[in-house]
Amino acid sequence: MFTPEVLRKVYAVDKDPKRFKYMKEVVELANGSDVVETIFSDIFEIKMAGYSDVEYVLVDPSCSGTGISERAKIDNHREVSSGRLKNLSGFQKDLLGRVCTYFPRVRRIVYCTCSVREEENEQVVEEIVKKFGAKFEVEDLRQHPALSEWKHFGSDKYENGKKCFYALPSDYCTGFFAAVLVRTDVDSIESVTTHKQGKRNQANAKDVGKKKKQKFK
């Protein structure tokens, strides 16, 4: 069996006790504990300095769940209030914006919801791109080979809407939205990496120097 020289790490974060318990059980069932570290915490309270090497992030925030047929049955098909949508959208923008800001080496961010409401999907992506457009752009998922015959994408009311993916009940799927943000200022990532590597080299050189001194005493 092939064993990679560098074992990649996945950090899975959730603050809800029930969701966290389920997530932990799934990871253990899949024998993934060596790769996946489950963290019971609010993402806004995590000290990001400990995760500065993260390169890929999946943002799956709390949402209205309007794409889930079971949720619609539970809610008796009631319309989600504008106030709730506004609160959810605000939280989603804060969370996605934090990810764009706090991970200096992040290369790709996948933002997804099980909502079919534009307020939680295209509008969130549009605002984030306006804010962080110098660093990120939206990947056009219509160009992905696996989606060449897919029919449902985002609304063309938004500049980046058609680049986003939708799965709908008519696709025999749960309603689902996804967008991919790709880092454009790659040079900044390389500079961070070079700086860190330089520090590691300096530390290694000091250790070697100490060992040599001890040897010749």
Side-chain angles (χ1 to χ4, degrees):
M1 184 175 70
F2 173 72
T3 302
E5 292 182 8
V6 179
L7 188 64
R8 297 294 184 180
K9 195 75 174 177
V10 175
Y11 302 105
V13 185
D14 205 313
K15 69 174 184 178
D16 182 83
K18 289 183 179 179
R19 287 198 305 260
F20 177 78
K21 182 175 181 292
Y22 177 70
M23 178 172 67
K24 193 173 180 64
E25 289 173 352
V26 170
V27 170
E28 291 172 353
L29 186 64
N31 295 320
S33 299
D34 290 340
V35 177
V36 181
E37 179 181 335
T38 53
I39 303 171
F40 180 50
S41 175
D42 186 330
I43 187 69
F44 291 102
E45 295 177 359
I46 286 180
K47 293 181 179 179
M48 293 299 181
Y51 306 94
S52 59
D53 288 343
V54 169
E55 295 183 344
Y56 304 95
V57 179
L58 169 64
V59 180
D60 181 14
S62 299
C63 70
S64 63
T66 50
I68 304 174
S69 57
E70 288 78 7
R71 175 70 62 83
K73 292 175 184 177
I74 293 171
D75 293 341
N76 198 25
H77 298 279
R78 288 175 296 182
E79 186 69 16
V80 181
S81 70
S82 58
R84 175 164 165 72
L85 278 175
K86 184 177 180 180
N87 289 337
L88 285 168
S89 178
F91 166 74
Q92 291 153 356
K93 291 170 187 173
D94 287 346
L95 181 57
L96 188 53
R98 182 176 177 83
V99 170
C100 291
T101 305
Y102 280 79
F103 295 104
R105 292 185 61 193
V106 68
R107 294 175 180 271
R108 293 167 70 85
I109 302 168
V110 177
Y111 173 75
C112 62
T113 73
C114 51
S115 169
V116 292
R117 297 298 299 260
E118 294 176 9
E119 296 94 327
E120 300 177 87
N121 298 334
E122 292 99 323
Q123 287 184 20
V124 171
V125 172
E126 205 72 9
E127 186 161 325
I128 291 299
V129 171
K130 285 180 181 178
K131 189 173 182 180
F132 298 99
K135 292 184 177 181
F136 294 95
E137 65 182 8
V138 182
E139 181 177 338
D140 192 343
L141 296 180
R142 294 172 298 180
Q143 306 304 317
H144 195 287
L147 298 174
S148 60
E149 297 183 10
W150 196 257
K151 297 179 181 179
H152 297 124
F153 294 92
S155 171
D156 57 9
K157 291 192 301 183
Y158 306 93
E159 183 179 349
N160 295 287
K162 297 298 288 184
K163 299 177 182 179
C164 304
F165 167 91
Y166 268 105
L168 301 173
S170 58
D171 301 310
Y172 303 101
C173 296
T174 292
F176 181 81
F177 170 87
V180 179
L181 302 181
V182 182
R183 190 90 182 221
T184 55
D185 63 334
V186 181
D187 290 342
S188 67
I189 298 176
E190 299 303 329
S191 65
V192 170
T193 304
T194 303
H195 178 67
K196 286 196 169 187
Q197 188 60 51
K199 283 192 170 183
R200 290 194 192 101
N201 292 341
Q202 288 177 2
N204 290 337
K206 286 182 180 179
D207 289 341
V208 171
K210 286 180 181 178
K211 288 178 181 178
K212 284 184 177 179
K213 286 181 181 180
Q214 291 172 354
K215 184 177 180 180
F216 291 105
K217 276 185 178 179

